[in-house]
Amino acid sequence: MRYVSLGTYPIRRPIHGGQLRANAIHRVLRDCGWETRHVVVTPHRGARREMEAGDLFIELPRSFRKKMARRKWRSDVATAEFIARSKSHRREIARFLDDFRPDVIALEQCWLWPALREYVEMCSPEARFSIVYSSHNVEQQLLAQEAAIPGAETDLWSARLAADIEADLAMKADLVVAVSEQDAAYFRKLNPSVAVAANGIWPREMPGGLDHWASRFAGLRTALFVGSGHPPNVRGFLQMTGPDLGFLSASERIVVVGGVADQIRNDPGFLRYRGADNARIELLGVQDGATLSALIELADVVMLPIVEGGGTNIKTAEALYSRKPVVATSFAFRGYEHFRHWQNVRLADKPEDFRDLLVQALRSEPKELGSAGVAQLDTLLWAATLQKLPEQFAALPRRQRQAMAVDGPGGLLPGLLRRMGLLRKS
């Protein structure tokens, strides 16, 4: 069986949640004997180095990247706009698909659907494949939330674009794969063929530099926060913990790892308290897997101050799998509700309660997990959360795709793009 995914980022060396999930699906399929490929359309120039042999890489040209920066488009929204306008690159994707002859074509998020939808109409009669929408969240809801935040770069046009593309894809797909029952309930209004495959993790790497970090944090109690530079991560941290960290004692630290550290460092609210907070926070930035494993090993608490966003959070699975006490919002546990009442989990949705629980966790000893609790952790591994996908993909119908209805004057793609507002003057 052959599987190809279309996305806006490479997945060979995954870092953020979308990459981790897409990479895991490929790994699970390959372990079952599938041949897989990945197609990337992206404005990020260095991404070419992260591609595997046999994959297709398309970089947005410099002129379009300038336009994207000038109009302050999100990179994924810009990718949809670019691929809708670039007939030559849609043809390049079509040739790649013709040569690979996939049994299943999956959209990792919805943004390259305009290219695939044209291919559906134009491919040869011999081509038979299934279409999967591999959803990471309800994109249109997430962008609408972001557009409503004062000062956010996401605008209402981006949210409407996501709504049009995502709804059309969800209705046309042979299967929608959602990350949670909440997302699945939304997609079932558009398509009855929906499966839930929760986000998961791989077992941690061996710790690296353990002695160095143990020496650096000797005599301190530490709470670890790991997150990308995604704006909701910053807002959640500042809302639930600060910006004034004076509730911590001199021997307690919050250790921040990932792109979120730079965002916190430069936030105006945090800067007002910088002098006092420097003694209570370590903004370590992006670290490799071995270093992250060492910091998890040494942490006394893992914190999840997540108050908004879409889909589910892989960091929640990582926090649970660490076997450390977890202080989190209830929002952070969407998709992991069956762990809400675990003995080492403390939940709070008011900032003052969150801080109180964080202090309690830092100043108390964790409870040992019983054998049943340890066994339950294995359900968080990708091999468990994605185990049904190979069989579900193999059972999908292989359809002749040219039967899909044409939308209005000029054919399928122009009709779709007019509704999306993508056929506009430059």
Side-chain angles (χ1 to χ4, degrees), residues 7 32 41 69 78 117 121 131 169 173 236 240 272 302 333 358 376 391 418:
C32 292
V41 182
R117 193 157 194 255
E121 183 188 58
I131 296 174
L169 169 56
M240 300 306 289
R272 287 197 296 272
V302 179
F333 271 71
L358 185 60
Q376 194 177 0
E391 183 178 345
R418 285 190 189 91

Side-chain angles (χ1 to χ4, degrees), residues 38-110:
H38 187 53
V39 175
V40 173
V41 182
T42 181
H44 303 299
R45 302 183 65 185
R48 184 184 295 274
R49 297 190 298 270
E50 301 301 319
M51 301 298 293
E52 291 191 19
D55 290 349
L56 175 63
F57 178 82
I58 296 174
E59 180 186 319
L60 273 60
R62 183 181 180 186
S63 59
F64 194 89
R65 294 199 303 271
K66 287 184 176 180
K67 178 180 179 181
M68 166 185 153
R70 188 170 62 251
R71 297 190 177 181
K72 297 183 178 180
W73 280 337
R74 287 171 49 118
S75 61
D76 46 13
V77 175
T79 300
E81 168 90 1
F82 170 76
I83 205 65
R85 289 176 174 272
S86 179
K87 189 173 184 178
S88 64
H89 288 98
R90 295 198 304 272
R91 285 177 174 172
E92 185 176 4
I93 293 173
R95 288 192 297 269
F96 181 87
L97 296 175
D98 282 341
D99 290 343
F100 185 57
R101 293 179 292 111
D103 298 289
V104 176
I105 302 177
L107 277 296
E108 290 291 345
Q109 300 177 304
C110 60

Side-chain angles (χ1 to χ4, degrees), residues 50 63 147 172 192 209 251 284-285 383 407:
E50 301 301 319
S63 59
K172 299 296 192 302
S251 61
L284 300 184
D407 287 295

Side-chain angles (χ1 to χ4, degrees), residues 170-215:
M171 288 187 290
K172 299 296 192 302
D174 294 293
L175 179 68
V176 178
V177 180
V179 299
S180 69
E181 288 294 344
Q182 294 95 321
D183 286 5
Y186 175 87
F187 287 119
R188 288 191 182 105
K189 299 173 185 176
L190 303 172
N191 187 334
S193 183
V194 179
V196 177
N199 276 324
I201 55 169
W202 297 115
R204 291 205 317 266
E205 292 184 32
M206 289 294 295
L210 197 59
D211 290 343
H212 164 75
W213 294 108
S215 175

Side-chain angles (χ1 to χ4, degrees), residues 84-373:
R85 289 176 174 272
S86 179
K87 189 173 184 178
S88 64
H89 288 98
R90 295 198 304 272
R91 285 177 174 172
E92 185 176 4
I93 293 173
R95 288 192 297 269
F96 181 87
L97 296 175
D98 282 341
D99 290 343
F100 185 57
R101 293 179 292 111
D103 298 289
V104 176
I105 302 177
L107 277 296
E108 290 291 345
Q109 300 177 304
C110 60
W111 301 108
L112 296 182
W113 175 233
L116 179 57
R117 193 157 194 255
E118 181 180 60
Y119 179 72
V120 165
E121 183 188 58
M122 305 302 294
C123 64
S124 68
E126 293 78 20
R128 279 171 168 66
F129 52 87
S130 305
I131 296 174
V132 170
Y133 177 26
S134 181
S135 167
H136 301 180
N137 51 66
V138 181
E139 203 71 47
Q140 54 195 293
Q141 291 182 348
L142 178 62
L143 267 64
Q145 290 172 13
E146 292 184 5
I149 297 172
E153 292 188 359
T154 301
D155 56 21
L156 288 174
W157 176 79
S158 298
R160 287 193 295 267
L161 172 64
D164 284 334
I165 295 179
E166 185 172 53
D168 191 70
L169 169 56
M171 288 187 290
K172 299 296 192 302
D174 294 293
L175 179 68
V176 178
V177 180
V179 299
S180 69
E181 288 294 344
Q182 294 95 321
D183 286 5
Y186 175 87
F187 287 119
R188 288 191 182 105
K189 299 173 185 176
L190 303 172
N191 187 334
S193 183
V194 179
V196 177
N199 276 324
I201 55 169
W202 297 115
R204 291 205 317 266
E205 292 184 32
M206 289 294 295
L210 197 59
D211 290 343
H212 164 75
W213 294 108
S215 175
R216 178 164 173 173
F217 297 128
L220 301 174
R221 301 283 288 181
T222 60
L224 180 66
F225 174 45
V226 183
S228 68
H230 190 41
N233 291 334
V234 185
R235 290 192 290 267
F237 177 84
L238 294 175
Q239 177 179 328
M240 300 306 289
T241 66
D244 180 5
L245 303 180
F247 64 93
L248 297 174
S249 74
S251 61
E252 295 165 346
R253 298 287 186 278
I254 293 177
V255 178
V256 183
V257 177
V260 69
D262 292 332
Q263 301 293 326
I264 292 172
R265 182 182 289 111
N266 297 321
D267 182 85
F270 179 78
L271 289 172
R272 287 197 296 272
Y273 293 89
R274 182 171 54 185
D277 284 351
N278 281 349
R280 294 180 174 88
I281 192 169
E282 297 277 353
L283 298 169
L284 300 184
V286 177
Q287 302 291 329
D288 59 30
T291 299
L292 178 58
S293 291
L295 293 170
I296 292 174
E297 185 78 18
L298 294 168
D300 297 290
V301 180
V302 179
M303 53 189 291
L304 299 167
I306 302 167
V307 298
E308 59 182 309
T312 66
N313 294 86
I314 291 177
K315 299 305 177 189
T316 303
E318 291 176 345
L320 290 165
Y321 198 77
S322 74
R323 309 187 190 187
K324 301 287 183 172
V326 177
V327 176
T329 61
S330 57
F331 188 82
F333 271 71
R334 66 203 188 285
Y336 304 97
E337 287 83 2
H338 51 297
F339 284 97
R340 285 171 59 106
H341 302 292
W342 245 38
Q343 61 191 44
N344 278 341
V345 171
R346 295 174 170 90
L347 300 180
D349 294 320
K350 295 180 179 179
E352 58 272 22
D353 295 337
F354 189 94
R355 295 166 198 160
D356 286 345
L357 289 180
L358 185 60
V359 168
Q360 290 175 25
L362 283 168
R363 297 174 189 177
S364 59
E365 293 300 319
K367 300 175 183 177
E368 289 291 329
L369 292 177
S371 57

